[in-house]
Each structure stands twice: as structure tokens, then as C-alpha cells.
């Protein structure tokens, strides 16, 4: 998974007008900005923050799905889930590498995550409580991630855009796999179908929040649009997602928990689309600020992983140094 | 030919080893000391779980009662699992996990190598894939055992402690049950005892580079091959079987 509408970015910058204009001209010509190119400080800072947030989301996102690896109901599902969680770790890895090209280390980014300076997607602060949640997370969370990330494949910053192309391919595989889990449940027993419905009831609204608040309230999104980091508004992406998802829910035979949902012919320039009921943004901000069901556990678990692994990382470094020294000594003989 | 009951039981020993060790490795997902290593541990787990599926499927065919891979993996009683105790031991720390992997793969690599000469075509097929995977498992785990054994004072201490803790469980790797013996005699599966010298050479060579000493084991631990497991096995199965046991007989 996934990037969310960037939370709390600061894209202020103080280069000369000429420099900024020349930079803007490159962006407008759809040129890719590469790590060694001159760039405004605000652009660099915004990208570090966004790519870091995205990488952290991949890493923290391993927890809710990893929660079911040892309980997956068949060997095929167990292998697929383990491979999916592994893919998410791989996404984290490419993204940390992309961020490193901007002059920030993985360790620094990890420190920022652990001390709360950096955020990750709010969706991962919800718990996975049933096997159906593994289907729902794949279908909707990876699905929302794809909506968010496809435009990022054309992001002005080269390394991020290239990472997104690779990541999006895998996310769409995850999305189909998740949908297939739900399809199997919905074709199964009454208890299985109920498990799928109950899962959708819990995830639907939090997934819609993944796109971020309405753009009226979203900070600095204008500058990010000019810089080619953001291509569509949060609301436009959310609309696309809902329009794509409702027909899929109908195939499953389960319903999204929104009594106000209705078709409106006038949406999407007259092609029609779904109008949804009000989103509880208080809940969104509460979770972003650390008060969701799983915020504390996610960070505590990750901190434990980082702390428990310290001696291994130190040993690997010490061993590499010893080897290098021995090699040097041999060469000197 | 060994009787099909013998072949079935010997295949279950192999498949259970792979499933339970794969399960233990999968518990590291999201928890490894280094992100790259998290991905590598998942690869090891995926190899073992993937291999177990092929072996269970074949065991089900040999048995002829219509049981598929999931019936065999999920719907047996604890006493019917025939994995050795080594593979079910919990993940104490990264040193112990890598050592457990080395102990296991250092036998299974030559085992599957020998199984390439089996007179059973399906087993040759399974061995062809497994032998390459096990060679990688040996390499990967040996590198870590050496790094940790010859790393910092702290890592060396943890590594040697893992050796002392785990070595008593290695003897059971060579146990030949009656079923396994019948299969070896019939030429369908290798004789584990005949691979002991190669296993010992591999371990000795890694330990030398890792500055570790092989402890003298006066009281080896065994029982898994007869279905007598440690207390942790029930907890593995409680998780593994949870969904299948809660909603029996459904498709997932
Ligand atoms: Fe991902
Ligand atoms: Fe994904």
C-alpha cells in the first residue's frame, strides 16, 4: 500500500524568482526532476515528507495483514498473504531508496516515524478482526492506494515516479487477490457472507478517508499541484474510487454502509456517478492525531522490532569491518 | 515398493517438517532486524510452505482417501503431526532462528539431492525444486551464523547460546521411522542416516568460520516423529487451524 493525501506538508521555499521560474518551466514541460538536479528546498522537503510517509505506510501496513498469516485458512491463502505482506515490505524498501536520493537516510526516516514527527496512512490504525478483513483490505485499501498512486506514476520527481510504476503493478495484483477472497466468502455459507458484510461495514468509511479531507481544507495542495506532485484533488480521486467500487460490491452481493448513497446523472460531466453521505472527519483527525484503535500498538510493535534488531545490525556491521580488515591485512602481506 | 501406508507416513514427516518450519519463519514477517532480511525470511518460509503443499498433495494421492493438502495440513490431531521437534521450537531470537534453519537445510539439501535418484517420479519432481531452494537456505543461514558468531561480543554470546539450546534437537533429524526405513529400502526416499557425515561436515565448516563450538550432547531430544511434541506445538496448531476448526468443511 499506499499514499494518503499528504498530511501537514510545508512547501514554503525562498529561492530567487528566476530560479523558481526556471524550475517551474521544467515541470510544465513534463521533464522529470532527478536527484542531482537543482530544486527548490520546499520541493525537496515536500517530497521527502511524502515519500517517507508513503514508505512508512507500507511498513506499518505489514502489521494488520501480518496479523492473519499464521491463521490463514488454507495453504494457498497462507502463501499468497505472506507473499503480499512481503511485497509491501519491498514497496517500503524502494520508497526509502527513492527518499534517500533526496539526502535523507532510512534511519532518520525511521526515527521520525517512531517519535511521531512522520505520519503513515490512517487506515492502518484500524484492526483486522476476521479473515474477511484480509479480503477487504486487499480489495479496498490496495484499491484506494492504486487510485492515489496511478497519478503518481507521472510525478515530476523521477525516482518516485519510477518506484510507483513498479508498485502499482503489484498493488493491482493485491487488489484482485483481495476481491477474490471476498468472492469466495460471498459464494460460501451464510456465516462466510456475513463475515464479508461485517468486514465491509467496518472498513468502508475509513477507506474513503484514505483520500484525505476535501480539498477546501487540505493544506498546500495548490503548490503541490503546480510542482507536479499532485495531479487530482482528494475529492476527485475519492469519487473515482467510489464509482469503480460500488459495481464490484454489487457483484459480491454485499452493501456499503451508506444509507445516503445514490446515483446522480449529473456527476462526472454528465456521465453520472455516486453521491455519498457525509464522512466523519472528526474520526479521521482523531485517528491521524494518534487516538485510533491501533495507533499505539502499531508504533510500539515497530519500535520493538527496531530495538530488538539493533544487536543484529551491529553484529553485521562489526563482521563486515572485520572482514574488510582481514582482506586488507592479506593484501599487505 | 514400500507399502502405500509407509510412503504416506514418510511423506507426512517431510511435509510436516516443511509446514511447521515455514510457519515459524512466517512469524518473522514484519519483525525482522533489517527490512531486507524480513523479505528474505519470507522467501525461506514461502519455499517451505510451497514445498509442503506438493508433498501433502502427493501424500493424499498415495493414501487414496481423497484428502487434499488442506485436509492434511489443517484437519489432523496434534499426535498425528510427525514433524521433528527442531522445527517447532519457537523463535527465541534471530540467532536461534538462523541456526535452526542451518541445521535443517544442511540435512535437507543433501536429502533432496539424493532423492533426485528416487525410483518415484513425483518425488524426483519435488526434489528437483527443493534441492535448489535448500542450497540457498544453507548459504543464507550459514552467512548469518558466521556474521553473528564472528560479529560483536554480544552476538557471539547469543549465537553460542543458541547452539547450546538447539543442538540437542538435531539428532532427531536423522531418526529413521519404520515407514522411512521401508521407503529407503524400496528406493523411493533417501536414508537420512547416510547423510549424517555430510551434515556434520557442513556444520563443522560453518562453525569454524563462526568461531562456535559444537557442544557435547548427552541427552538428545526427540519424539516429534512419533507425534509426541513439545508444549508449543499445540499453540502452533491453535493458530494454524483456527479458521478451519471454527467453520469446518467450507471453501476459503
Ligand atoms: Fe504496497
Ligand atoms: Fe499492496
Amino acid at each position: 500500500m499506499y499514499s494518503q493525501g499528504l498530511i501537514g506538508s510545508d512547501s514554503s521555499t525562498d529561492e530567487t524568482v528566476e530560479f523558481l521560474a526556471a524550475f517551474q518551466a521544467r515541470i510544465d514541460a513534463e521533464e522529470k526532476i532527478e536527484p542531482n538536479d537543482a530544486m527548490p528546498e520546499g520541493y525537496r522537503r515536500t517530497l521527502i515528507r511524502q515519500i517517507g510517509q508513503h514508505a512508512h505506510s507500507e511498513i506499518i501496513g505489514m502489521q494488520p495483514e501480518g496479523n492473519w498469516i499464521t491463521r490463514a485458512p488454507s495453504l494457498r491463502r497462507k502463501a499468497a498473504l505472506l507473499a503480499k505482506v512481503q511485497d509491501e515490505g519491498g514497496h517500503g524498501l524502494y520508497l526509502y531508496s527513492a527518499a534517500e536520493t533526496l539526502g535523507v537516510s532510512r534511519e532518520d526516516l525511521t526515527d521520525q516515524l517512531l517519535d511521531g514527527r512522520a505520519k503513515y496512512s490512517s487506515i492502518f490504525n484500524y484492526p483486522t478482526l476476521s479473515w474477511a478483513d484480509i479480503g477487504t483490505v486487499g480489495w479496498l485499501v490496495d484499491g484506494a492506494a492504486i487510485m492515489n498512486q496511478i497519478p503518481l506514476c507521472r510525478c515530476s520527481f523521477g525516482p518516485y515516479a519510477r518506484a510507483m510504476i513498479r508498485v502499482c503493478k503489484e498493488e493491482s495484483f493485491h487488489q484482485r487477490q483481495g476481491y477474490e477472497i471476498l468472492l469466495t466468502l460471498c459464494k460460501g455459507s451464510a456465516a462466510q457472507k456475513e463475515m464479508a458484510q461485517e468486514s465491509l461495514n467496518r472498513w468502508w468509511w475509513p477507506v474513503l478517508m484514505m483520500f484525505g479531507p476535501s480539498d477546501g481544507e487540505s493544506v498546500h495542495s495548490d503548490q503541490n499541484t503546480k510542482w507536479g506532485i499532485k495531479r487530482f484533488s482528494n475529492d476527485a480521486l475519492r469519487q473515482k474510487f467510489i464509482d469503480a467500487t460500488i459495481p464490484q460490491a454489487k457483484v459480491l452481493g454485499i452493501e456499503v454502509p451508506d444509507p445516503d448513497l445514490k446515483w446522480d446523472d449529473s456527476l462526472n460531466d454528465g456521465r453520472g456517478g455516486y453521491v455519498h453521505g457525509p464522512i466523519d472527519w472528526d474520526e479521521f483527525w482523531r485517528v491521524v492525531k494518534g487516538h485510533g484503535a491501533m495507533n499505539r500498538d502499531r508504533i510500539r510493535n515497530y519500535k520493538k522490532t527496531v530495538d530488538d534488531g539493533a544487536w543484529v545490525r551491529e553484529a553485521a556491521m562489526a563482521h563486515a569491518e572485520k572482514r574488510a580488515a582481514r582482506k586488507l591485512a592479506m593484501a599487505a602481506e | 515398493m514400500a507399502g502405500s501406508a509407509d510412503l504416506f507416513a514418510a511423506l507426512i514427516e517431510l511435509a510436516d517438517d516443511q509446514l511447521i518450519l515455514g510457519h515459524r519463519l512466517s512469524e518473522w514477517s514484519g519483525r525482522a532486524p533489517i527490512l531486507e532480511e524480513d523479505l528474505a525470511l519470507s522467501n525461506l518460509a514461502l519455499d517451505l510452505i510451497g514445498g509442503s503443499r506438493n508433498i501433502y498433495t502427493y501424500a493424499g494421492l498415495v493414501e487414496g482417501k481423497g484428502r487434499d493438502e488442506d485436509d492434511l495440513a489443517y484437519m489432523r490431531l496434534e499426535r498425528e503431526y510427525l514433524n521433528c521437534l527442531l522445527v517447532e521450537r519457537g523463535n527465541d531470537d534471530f540467532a536461534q532462528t538462523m541456526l535452526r534453519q542451518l541445521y535443517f537445510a544442511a540435512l535437507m539439501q543433501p536429502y533432496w539431492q539424493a532423492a533426485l535418484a528416487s525410483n518415484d517420479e513425483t518425488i524426483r519432481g519435488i526434489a528437483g525444486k527443493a534441492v535448489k531452494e535448500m542450497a540457498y537456505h544453507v548459504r543464507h543461514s550459514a552467512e548469518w551464523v558466521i556474521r553473528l558468531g564472528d560479529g560483536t561480543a554480544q552476538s557471539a554470546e547469543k549465537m553460542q547460546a543458541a547452539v547450546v539450546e538447539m543442538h540437542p534437537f538435531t539428532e532427531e533429524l536423522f531418526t529413521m521411522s519404520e515407514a522411512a526405513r521401508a521407503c529407503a529400502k524400496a528406493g523411493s526416499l533417501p536414508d537420512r542416516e547416510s547423510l549424517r557425515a555430510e551434515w556434520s561436515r557442513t556444520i563443522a565448516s560453518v562453525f569454524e568460520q563462526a568461531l562456535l563450538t559444537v557442544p557435547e550432547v548427552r541427552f538428545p531430544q526427540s519424539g516429534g516423529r512419533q507425534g509426541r511434541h513439545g508444549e508449543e506445538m499445540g499453540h502452533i496448531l491453535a493458530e494454524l487451524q483456527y479458521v478451519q476448526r471454527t467453520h469446518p468443511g467450507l471453501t476459503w
Side-chain angles (χ1 to χ4, degrees), chain B residues 8 31 81-82 99 127 130 138 147 154 208 219 231 246 248:
Chain B
F8 174 76
R31 295 187 175 89
Y81 284 79
L82 300 179
L99 182 71
V138 171
R147 258 181 221 124
Q154 186 191 18
E208 194 193 322
F219 304 104
E231 288 183 347
T246 310

Side-chain angles (χ1 to χ4, degrees), chain A residues 1-2 54 58 87-89 91-92 142 145 149 167 171 174:
Chain A
M1 240 274 351
Y2 137 71
H54 190 165
E58 302 283 359
D87 284 348
E88 308 303 5
H91 299 167
D142 288 79
Q149 286 167 201
V167 166
E171 301 299 12
H174 298 163

